[in-house]
Amino acid sequence: MQVSWQTLQEQVSQCISCPLCAHRTHTVFGEGNPHASLLFVGEGPGADEDRMGRPFVGRAGQLLDKMIQAMGLQREDVYIANVVKCRPPGNRTPLPEETRACLPYLRGQFALIRPKVIVCLGATAARAIISEDIRITRDRGNWVNKKGIWIMPTYHPAALLRDPTKKRETWQDLQEVMKKLEETDVQNAASE
Ligand code: URA
Ligand code: SF4
């Protein structure tokens, strides 16, 4: 059943469905345009996000903001969410059971936003959304279509901070995303 934004937000803020609830300061639901064509999905909150209760506000977030601006968009135009809504201790990768426990909330967000394109930032998002078998170095840049939504796996901005040589490929992937958004706009205009 489709739940409302308000219900979904309340459920997340009170959630104790996995052990990550014990470590959090704030849950990080996600934010942005509730009708965005473009949805970015990261891994999970880091220290800054846990403190603020907002996604991608630390160093990786500043880079994501730049990437969004380079696409000719504003942060407010898109929606930004994570696979898990509570910070894993020490920023470790979420465990499979934590991802499984939290994924219904992300699916609820998909259902409410109904984006045209989802960008998976890094392996955790790509594995949760596309397939367990994803390897980001091999599979980034390749579109996947699931239930009419175009999904693009690319590198996580934190990976770009560690290895700036990955920026070129990431920019290629984001240009593909821009093309896809334009194509879907043209199709919509034609069918109106
Ligand atoms: N990294 C993520 O994956 N998500 C955030 O919200 C911040 C950093
Ligand atoms: Fe609930 Fe997700 Fe937080 Fe786990 S990470 S407690 S499933 S909101």
Side-chain angles (χ1 to χ4, degrees), residues 12 15-21 24 27 83-86 98 101-102 105:
V12 167
C15 181
I16 51 167
S17 296
C18 90
L20 294 181
C21 69
R24 73 185 176 218
T27 55
V83 172
V84 292
K85 312 307 193 200
C86 303
E98 293 160 354
C102 212
Y105 300 129

Side-chain angles (χ1 to χ4, degrees), residues 60-104:
Q62 285 165 17
L63 181 53
L64 179 61
D65 287 347
K66 279 199 205 164
M67 289 157 60
I68 292 168
Q69 280 161 19
M71 297 172 79
L73 298 168
Q74 301 292 320
R75 190 174 160 114
E76 300 72 41
D77 297 329
V78 305
Y79 200 94
I80 303 174
N82 282 304
V83 172
V84 292
K85 312 307 193 200
C86 303
R87 182 192 182 201
N91 297 347
R92 65 160 170 74
T93 306
L95 300 173
E97 55 266 35
E98 293 160 354
T99 296
R100 215 174 304 126
C102 212
L103 214 45

Side-chain angles (χ1 to χ4, degrees), residues 90-132:
N91 297 347
R92 65 160 170 74
T93 306
L95 300 173
E97 55 266 35
E98 293 160 354
T99 296
R100 215 174 304 126
C102 212
L103 214 45
Y105 300 129
L106 186 62
R107 293 198 191 291
Q109 289 171 310
F110 293 172
L112 287 163
I113 300 167
R114 299 172 78 253
K116 299 199 170 72
V117 174
I118 298 173
V119 174
C120 298
L121 297 168
T124 300
R127 289 188 179 134
I129 296 167
I130 302 170
S131 152
E132 293 278 344

Side-chain angles (χ1 to χ4, degrees), residues 28 41-50 54-61 64 75 80-84 91 121-122 124-125 156-158:
V28 178
V41 181
E43 177 172 292
D48 296 311
E49 291 77 21
D50 176 65
R54 295 180 54 208
F56 281 98
V57 290
R59 249 167 50 85
L64 179 61
R75 190 174 160 114
I80 303 174
N82 282 304
V83 172
V84 292
N91 297 347
L121 297 168
T124 300
H156 191 290

Side-chain angles (χ1 to χ4, degrees), residues 122-148:
T124 300
R127 289 188 179 134
I129 296 167
I130 302 170
S131 152
E132 293 278 344
D133 305 325
I134 291 275
R135 279 179 35 217
I136 203 72
T137 46
R138 180 192 62 194
D139 297 321
R140 59 139 280 280
N142 294 321
W143 285 112
V144 176
N145 191 299
K146 276 199 167 185
K147 298 182 191 162

